[in-house]
């Protein structure tokens, strides 16, 4: 019984991790308002190693349409600007020698639909991950039958895993509808 609870707890923790990852990925999809998360994932060459942008600069949003990036060291400002330009984010950064300012343009209808489609792809990936976690948990539970655990107990545990999966899939759907509303809002 204790082993079953461990499998269920592990499945729940892993599914929560999938949700956290989804939220991070959706945060990278801009919805018209400037957000420091839009630059997450960008890496710059910092003394020979690829380093996340947030480790070498302060990123903030002075207003709803601007992202400001202030490097900790002035000499890397051009590298940061190049990383933003090459990051395929659709931004045109301006560099004043001390700080990089990024003006976030308002989204047109076509771009909004494209972003909603990208968000939907992230949602589908999250659902697949959660279902894979369910499958792994169920396979682990079925192995317990071979070790002498009662089939009834395993069946009840599989039902609990399914309920857990349904709950997390529902959470993913809620996250998507909120993000889609945010993206399509003019």
């Amino acid at each position: 019984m204790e082993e079953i609870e461990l499998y269920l707890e592990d499945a729940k923790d892993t599914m929560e991790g999938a949700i956290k990852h989804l939220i991070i990925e959706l945060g990278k999809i801009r919805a018209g308002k400037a957000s420091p998360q839009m630059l997450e994932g960008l890496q710059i060459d910092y003394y020979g190693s690829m380093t996340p942008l947030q480790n070498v600069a302060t990123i903030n949003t002075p207003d709803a349409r601007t992202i400001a990036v202030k490097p900790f060291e002035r000499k890397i400002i051009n590298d940061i600007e190049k990383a933003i330009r090459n990051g395929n984010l659709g931004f045109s950064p301006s560099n004043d020698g001390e700080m990089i300012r990024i003006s976030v343009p308002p989204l047109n209808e076509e771009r909004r639909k494209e972003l909603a489609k990208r968000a939907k792809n992230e949602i589908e990936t999250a659902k697949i991950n959660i279902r894979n976690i369910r499958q792994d948990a169920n396979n682990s539970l079925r192995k317990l039958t071979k070790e002498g655990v009662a089939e009834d107990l395993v069946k009840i545990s599989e039902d609990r895993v399914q309920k857990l999966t349904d709950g997390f899939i529902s959470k993913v759907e809620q996250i998507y509808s909120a993000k889609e509303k945010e993206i399509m809002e003019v």
Side-chain angles (χ1 to χ4, degrees):
M1 191 66 183
E2 202 172 293
E3 211 171 342
I4 290 173
E5 290 303 320
L6 283 174
Y7 287 133
L8 292 171
E9 193 60 38
D10 184 48
K12 182 180 178 191
D13 291 346
T14 313
M15 287 179 187
E16 285 172 354
I19 295 281
K20 287 177 186 168
H21 178 75
L22 171 67
I23 291 169
I24 290 169
E25 291 303 311
L26 288 179
K28 294 177 187 176
I29 298 174
R30 68 187 186 98
K33 283 184 270 179
S35 163
Q37 287 179 316
M38 293 177 178
L39 300 179
E40 245 177 55
L42 280 183
Q43 304 243 337
I44 68 155
D45 186 8
Y46 185 64
Y47 293 109
S49 68
M50 295 310 280
T51 307
L53 179 60
Q54 57 269 30
N55 291 359
V56 295
T58 304
I59 306 168
N60 60 37
T61 51
D63 61 58
R65 294 271 179 228
T66 309
I67 300 173
V69 181
K70 185 167 178 61
F72 300 140
E73 297 177 36
R74 265 197 204 160
K75 63 184 176 184
I76 62 170
I77 197 162
N78 291 328
D79 294 333
I80 292 173
E81 184 179 13
K82 191 168 101 178
I84 293 168
R85 284 188 195 283
N86 296 340
N88 198 17
L89 300 170
F91 296 140
S92 298
S94 64
N95 174 352
D96 66 8
E98 298 241 344
M99 184 180 286
I100 296 172
R101 285 186 173 68
I102 302 166
S103 188
V104 179
L107 299 172
N108 61 25
E109 188 65 26
E110 184 180 318
R111 182 74 174 138
R112 286 179 195 281
K113 287 180 181 173
E114 186 180 310
L115 291 174
K117 191 184 222 179
R118 219 170 102 199
K120 185 70 174 168
N121 287 340
E122 289 298 333
I123 294 299
E124 290 306 317
T125 301
K127 285 180 178 180
I128 290 167
N129 289 340
I130 289 170
R131 289 180 187 126
N132 287 340
I133 295 164
R134 174 191 62 196
Q135 186 176 10
D136 292 345
N138 284 340
N139 289 342
S140 297
L141 290 168
R142 286 184 198 118
K143 285 180 187 171
L144 292 177
T145 308
K146 294 175 185 163
E147 294 173 15
V149 175
E151 283 185 36
D152 297 4
L153 215 50
V154 171
K155 184 67 179 148
I156 290 168
S157 300
E158 286 177 346
D159 290 342
R160 287 176 61 193
V161 169
Q162 184 58 49
K163 284 180 184 156
L164 197 63
T165 303
D166 294 342
F168 278 98
I169 295 287
S170 171
K171 213 181 267 189
V172 166
E173 288 293 337
Q174 291 169 357
I175 291 169
Y176 174 66
S177 61
K179 185 65 177 183
E180 184 182 39
K181 182 180 175 194
E182 182 184 328
I183 289 171
M184 298 312 272
E185 195 175 281
V186 178

